[in-house]
Amino acid sequence: MSMRFRAHPRASLPDPRLLRVRDRAILRIVNRSKAATSRHLSELLRAHPRKMQERALLLWRAGYLERTTLPPAHRGGSPLAYRLSTAARLRLGYRDRRTAGTNELQHRLDTTAAVSALARPYQASLYPMQAWLTESMARRELSHGVQPDSVVVLQHPAGSAVLCLEVDEATQHLPTIRHKLLAYRGALSQRLGWQVLFVAPSQARVAWLRRQARAMAELRGWEPGWAVELADLLRLGLAAPVHPLIGIDDPQSVASLLTDPASRACPTPVGSPHWLHLLGTGGGEDLDHALRAQPQAESVATPEPL
């Protein structure tokens, strides 16, 4: 994928204090994801796609975002990808100057797409995602050198789960995959409710991942490892079929993985007005309960509806 991000030629970059809180939250989310389409943003912010297109366009015209046109095969319902402009990063005081370059853009977009697919409501106004940790945020939470592309905390009436997302582009060879699998076995051994979900670009890659995992004697009896095809996840969300990495293939849905009796309901669930206000005003989420929840004797709490 070879594309060039472009800023608006007459951008004025107004004082960020003049921006709406919701617009500042959008900029924070784009900074976290490094690259996103308006469709991704609409799912993460629980906003109508057309409204999000309008907000992204206004932020591009103001100079806070730059954009590139995606090839048809990579659009996924949105022809434009956005990232923070260099001027915006300087104006907002972000020390991390990394952006999604063209070589890694597809991986960034696939990761954001997977996260946004899991953020969709499983009923009219019930949203499962309680917390979302990007790669840099998740790195501080796990041992054994594990570096998930994202970590999402999900809550459902049946239970909860913490999913470590490994977005696979079918470019990593067997030694790297084996190293990852062994690292996850060590990192998740004492983490109740934590699982790893490999998001692969095709069913053939899902089958390959499962063959390699089953061939490793060190993983015998290991349960919290799964694989899903990206297209299924984007189309079906929590209803997407997932396949166990170890054992006989018995496809389940993503929702069926949410069986931990611990309540992980967060006071600022992803996409809620409280979460957006927190991001827009510069605050950080309190993730301690969501990541280290303990089983409760009472019924499992459900996400706060809008």
Side-chain angles (χ1 to χ4, degrees):
M1 183 183 295
S2 179
M3 290 161 293
R4 180 182 176 185
F5 279 87
R6 299 178 183 275
H8 192 278
R10 296 182 298 278
S12 59
L13 206 72
D15 190 326
R17 291 174 296 182
L18 301 178
L19 296 176
R20 295 164 45 180
V21 171
R22 193 176 185 86
D23 286 339
R24 296 201 298 270
I26 291 173
L27 297 178
R28 186 97 175 267
I29 293 169
V30 174
N31 179 62
R32 285 187 174 186
S33 63
K34 304 304 181 187
T37 68
S38 60
R39 178 175 178 177
H40 301 153
L41 294 171
S42 70
E43 291 175 337
L44 289 169
L45 278 78
R46 307 180 187 176
H48 192 280
R50 183 172 297 176
K51 176 64 70 173
M52 191 51 58
Q53 288 175 352
E54 293 173 357
R55 300 315 305 171
L57 178 61
L58 288 173
L59 289 170
W60 175 69
R61 288 174 175 169
Y64 279 98
L65 297 178
E66 55 187 22
R67 69 186 189 184
T68 187
T69 302
L70 298 177
H74 301 281
R75 288 182 179 180
S78 183
L80 297 171
Y82 293 91
R83 70 182 185 187
L84 287 189
S85 66
T86 301
R89 301 182 70 80
L90 292 172
R91 185 69 178 84
L92 296 172
Y94 288 124
R95 296 182 179 179
D96 182 2
R97 303 293 185 227
R98 293 175 301 169
T99 57
T102 55
N103 291 334
E104 63 170 327
L105 178 59
Q106 188 59 51
H107 184 258
R108 293 288 190 183
L109 290 174
D110 286 346
T111 301
T112 308
V115 172
S116 62
L118 293 171
R120 296 174 195 153
Y122 54 86
Q123 291 180 11
S125 60
L126 294 177
Y127 293 82
M129 190 173 294
Q130 302 299 297
W132 163 38
L133 284 73
T134 62
E135 180 182 2
S136 59
M137 298 167 68
R139 190 180 301 132
R140 301 188 293 266
E141 297 294 333
L142 291 164
S143 59
H144 294 73
V146 168
Q147 298 183 23
D149 293 310
S150 277
V151 171
V152 296
V153 180
L154 303 176
Q155 181 72 57
H156 192 267
S160 67
V162 181
L163 299 184
C164 300
L165 301 183
E166 279 290 336
V167 179
D168 180 81
E169 301 291 348
T171 56
Q172 293 183 329
H173 294 176
L174 182 56
T176 301
I177 295 299
R178 284 181 171 174
H179 176 77
K180 280 188 177 183
L181 290 169
L182 290 175
Y184 270 109
R185 171 152 195 173
L188 302 185
S189 60
Q190 303 299 320
R191 296 267 188 165
L192 296 178
W194 286 61
Q195 306 185 57
V196 58
L197 180 62
F198 281 80
V199 182
S202 66
Q203 283 297 330
R205 183 66 173 183
V206 169
W208 183 86
L209 289 168
R210 297 187 69 244
R211 285 198 303 273
Q212 306 314 317
R214 293 198 305 272
M216 297 174 63
E218 303 93 328
L219 297 182
R220 195 164 298 155
W222 189 54
E223 296 182 354
W226 305 86
V228 64
E229 186 179 357
L230 176 61
D232 287 340
L233 188 61
L234 300 188
R235 182 168 52 91
L236 300 172
L238 287 184
V242 294
H243 304 264
L245 292 177
I246 305 298
I248 300 174
D249 190 6
D250 184 17
Q252 304 180 49
S253 67
V254 176
S256 70
L257 306 182
L258 312 185
T259 58
D260 187 4
S263 170
R264 299 180 187 276
C266 180
T268 55
V270 171
S272 68
H274 296 302
W275 184 68
L276 297 176
H277 185 269
L278 188 69
L279 296 186
T281 54
E285 304 96 313
D286 182 359
L287 303 175
D288 189 68
H289 173 72
L291 297 175
R292 283 167 280 279
Q294 298 297 321
Q296 297 183 356
E298 303 297 331
S299 59
V300 177
T302 57
E304 175 186 325
L306 285 180

